Structure formats: structure tokens, C-alpha cells
Amino acid sequence: MKGIILAGGTGSRMYPLTKVTNKHLLPVYDKPMICYPLEMLINAGITEIMIVSGRGHAGHFLELLGSGAEYGVHITYEIQEAAGGIAQALGLAEGWVDEEAVVVILGDNIFQDSIKEDVAAFSGGAKIFLKPIPDPHRFGVAELHDNRVVSIEEKPKEPKSDLAVTGLYMYDNHVFETIKSLKPSGRGELEITDVNNDYVRRGEMQYSVLDGHWSDAGTFDSLLRASLLVQKLRKADKSE
């Protein structure tokens, strides 16, 4: 299984910080943001990793991470020429992934849980990772019935559950055929929710509900929350 970190986008909500570097290289407590998803993949046993970024500050990732040798992995880089959505960014990795399955993580998502067992047990289809939150309308929301995912709705005004779809996904190689069949959404992008709902319709979507903390860090407020969360977790680890 290979890993992909999606670190594109313009970071317009975090301007002017993103005038000088990519959003995913901003600090979250004591590390650049991109290091958290990278370490999550490494801890899951994944050694072949691709980082997909936009054009603006792509070289900064190379300066920070290089070939990945420092981390004991091999890192490949791909450029998303223009904002086309998460699914479009994932589609850029098709040739590199070859026939393997893939773990995809958004570069601004920070997780406490390990996915090592999920990676080891994955045998096909797709898997999403859910988290109960008080404001699910800000995210994709999963509806469950009889222990199955029956629908995923993007940013609903009236969510059917409190289960947000986090920025962490697992797919078999069929995902690239699904992406090729998508039509752009109203905002002109290929949506990852449409990819996930394709797996749902085929009865091939699995899920796990996360126990630990999860945060995105794509706005000033969420970046601060993520930093405070990491600080809290670090202090808790030191006190044990």
C-alpha cells in the first residue's frame, strides 16, 4: 500500500501567512503541519509516499523533506497545476500508484489515532474514518444504517448524523476509474464525496469511528486549536 498526502490549494483563508509559504508548512506547535500526516503514514508502515502540492511554494516541501531518507521512506512529489478538487489531485497519482491500494490524507488534518491495523487489514473497496463532532455541517457527513454507510452528504444544512468524514481515506485501485467518471461540481471541482458515494452505492464502503482527537488546521482558528491540542497531548505523554 502506498500513501498520498494532498497539500494543494491556495490557502486563501490564511493569507498573508500563505503569501510566503504553503499552508501545509505552517507550524502546528513544534513542527510544520505536513509532518503530522507524514508521520501518521510512516507509523502505519507505509514507506512509499507522494506529496501533491500546488505550484506556488512547491519547492519548500523539497527543502524540508527531501527524498524522505531522513524518515526512512521514499517521497515523490507531484504538482497540481490548478485547483481542481481533492479527487482531481488524487487522480494525478494514478501512474505512480500503479496497481496498489492507497491511503490518502489531507495535509491539514491531524490525528491522534493510529491506522496501522486498518492498513494491515485492508483488502479492497474503500474505507473512511468518522468522528462525532458538535458541528458536522462544516464537513461531509455520513449516514449509517445497520452498521453500513448508506450516504455521505457534503456540508448539509441539516446533518443526518454527527459523524463527520475526516480527511483520511483508503481506496483500492478502482478509485482512479471512479475519478475519471466524475463530473465537476457546482464549484467546478471533482469532489471526494462523489468518489466515496460511488463506493457506497456499490456496497464497498467500510468505516471506522475514531476514538482519539482529530483536528483540521486550515483556518487561523483551527490552526490555533490544532497547536493547543498537540501541546496538550505532548504534556500528557510526558506526565505518564
Side-chain angles (χ1 to χ4, degrees):
M1 182 174 280
K2 294 184 176 181
I4 300 176
I5 303 173
L6 300 182
T10 62
S12 58
R13 291 182 296 176
M14 303 187 77
Y15 190 87
L17 298 182
T18 48
K19 185 176 182 179
V20 294
T21 193
N22 184 285
K23 171 183 73 173
H24 304 87
L25 294 170
L26 295 174
V28 174
Y29 190 48
D30 59 352
K31 296 180 189 177
M33 190 187 301
I34 192 74
C35 291
Y36 294 92
L38 177 62
E39 290 172 359
M40 187 177 197
L41 294 178
I42 293 171
N43 292 337
I46 295 172
T47 58
E48 292 287 330
I49 298 168
M50 173 179 278
I51 296 175
V52 180
S53 71
R55 291 181 60 91
H57 306 287
H60 293 182
F61 290 101
L62 187 59
E63 289 290 334
L64 175 67
L65 303 173
S67 67
E70 178 183 347
Y71 296 87
V73 299
H74 185 264
I75 299 177
T76 302
Y77 300 88
E78 181 62 69
I79 299 297
Q80 186 181 23
E81 293 287 347
I86 294 172
Q88 191 266 343
L90 172 55
L92 297 175
E94 180 178 9
W96 174 78
V97 171
D98 198 19
E99 298 298 321
E100 295 192 46
V102 64
V103 180
V104 182
I105 184 169
L106 303 189
D108 62 358
N109 274 226
I110 297 173
F111 297 87
Q112 183 182 12
D113 295 67
S114 168
I115 58 168
K116 187 172 185 177
E117 293 183 1
D118 301 275
V119 168
F122 188 75
S123 59
K127 186 169 189 176
I128 53 176
F129 295 81
L130 309 177
K131 182 67 180 178
I133 60 172
D135 53 352
H137 62 274
R138 298 194 301 118
F139 302 93
V141 177
E143 179 186 7
L144 306 182
H145 183 70
D146 290 339
N147 210 33
R148 293 184 303 110
V149 181
V150 296
S151 73
I152 301 170
E153 189 175 4
E154 184 65 20
K155 297 180 180 178
K157 293 182 178 179
E158 297 182 4
K160 296 178 181 177
S161 78
D162 64 350
L163 296 171
V165 179
T166 67
L168 177 62
Y169 322 91
M170 299 174 66
Y171 300 110
D172 61 17
N173 202 258
H174 182 81
V175 69
F176 298 106
E177 293 302 317
T178 296
I179 291 171
K180 291 174 185 176
S181 72
L182 296 181
K183 295 181 180 180
S185 66
R187 58 180 183 171
E189 298 186 354
L190 300 184
E191 305 289 351
I192 199 68
T193 295
D194 292 337
V195 172
N196 291 333
N197 274 322
D198 185 71
Y199 279 94
V200 170
R201 284 190 291 271
R202 297 201 309 269
E204 298 178 1
M205 177 59 76
Q206 309 163 50
Y207 74 93
S208 284
V209 178
L210 298 171
D211 293 322
H213 295 287
W214 162 64
S215 177
D216 70 351
T219 65
F220 290 121
D221 287 340
S222 61
L223 180 64
L224 175 60
R225 285 196 300 269
S227 294
L228 294 174
L229 169 62
V230 171
Q231 181 191 50
K232 179 180 178 181
L233 294 175
R234 294 279 168 78
K235 289 182 176 179
D237 288 341
K238 289 179 180 179
S239 66
E240 290 181 355

